[in-house]
Amino acid sequence: MSMAACARTPSRTILGALALAASGLVAAPAPAAHAQDVDLVCTATFQFNFTPALDFNTVDADGNATIVSCQSPNGSRPELLSGQVNGTPGAVAEGCAPLPLQIGGEAAIEWNTGGTSELTFEISTDPTSGDLGLSAQVDGGVMAGDTITAVPVIVSQDGLCGLGGVRSFTANAAVVTFTN
């Protein structure tokens, strides 16, 4: 049970659970998980090109990203200063830019050290989805198991929804965070 859940549980229920645990009838609750540890914080820009144009349809989404100014708050990755994503083969976009847009696929970050991080990502600009922003999981390579989060802001796009569609957009992410 999380500490937040414990805070919402009435004290009478907690006392009852403790009494049952002390009597051996139920197991004591597991200790609360520790907070996630921040391995790396960077800034990034990225661009997606859509084929055919994105216009409330589902299309291929080829992306590139530049990751810079990386810092390692916990000291685990001081060697990682910058990275590059060169393409997102198989990525798919649906909806339209800037709202509501969903992009998902796989990518690889090539780090300044020569190492790579293989990841699965989702981007959503749909405020009703509950998953606003970028979320990714590092599936292999450098920082395998880490979660990546960011809130991208579309700063320019080529084309308009309903008027031939969006051919590409460029976004900035003020902060990209890698946590484990």
Side-chain angles (χ1 to χ4, degrees):
M1 178 180 291
S2 73
M3 293 183 74
C6 287
R8 292 188 304 266
T9 305
S11 60
R12 171 175 44 186
T13 304
I14 292 172
L15 292 174
L18 290 174
L20 288 173
S23 70
L25 295 176
V26 296
H34 59 81
Q36 290 184 336
D37 198 14
V38 177
D39 287 330
L40 203 61
V41 177
C42 308
T43 58
T45 61
F46 55 89
Q47 179 175 332
F48 278 94
N49 300 308
F50 305 113
T51 308
L54 184 63
D55 202 4
F56 300 105
N57 50 354
T58 301
V59 301
D60 292 334
D62 186 35
N64 295 294
T66 301
I67 302 167
V68 297
S69 303
C70 297
Q71 301 286 321
S72 182
N74 67 7
S76 68
R77 296 294 179 175
E79 75 281 9
L80 298 178
L81 305 175
S82 62
Q84 185 72 34
V85 174
N86 296 309
T88 54
V92 175
E94 60 184 53
C96 206
L99 295 172
L101 172 66
Q102 302 273 11
I103 303 174
E106 297 176 350
I109 301 171
E110 298 173 11
W111 294 103
N112 62 290
T113 60
T116 60
S117 296
E118 295 82 32
L119 55 102
T120 305
F121 70 91
E122 294 282 332
I123 296 173
S124 176
T125 65
D126 182 356
T128 65
S129 73
D131 295 321
L132 195 59
L134 165 80
S135 61
Q137 183 67 37
V138 181
D139 301 319
V142 177
M143 293 190 293
D146 270 23
T147 299
I148 305 169
T149 56
V151 179
V153 178
I154 296 175
V155 293
S156 66
Q157 67 183 45
D158 179 14
L160 295 172
C161 301
L163 298 172
V166 176
R167 292 171 287 288
S168 68
F169 78 77
T170 303
N172 289 330
V175 176
V176 179
T177 304
F178 294 75
T179 57
N180 64 27

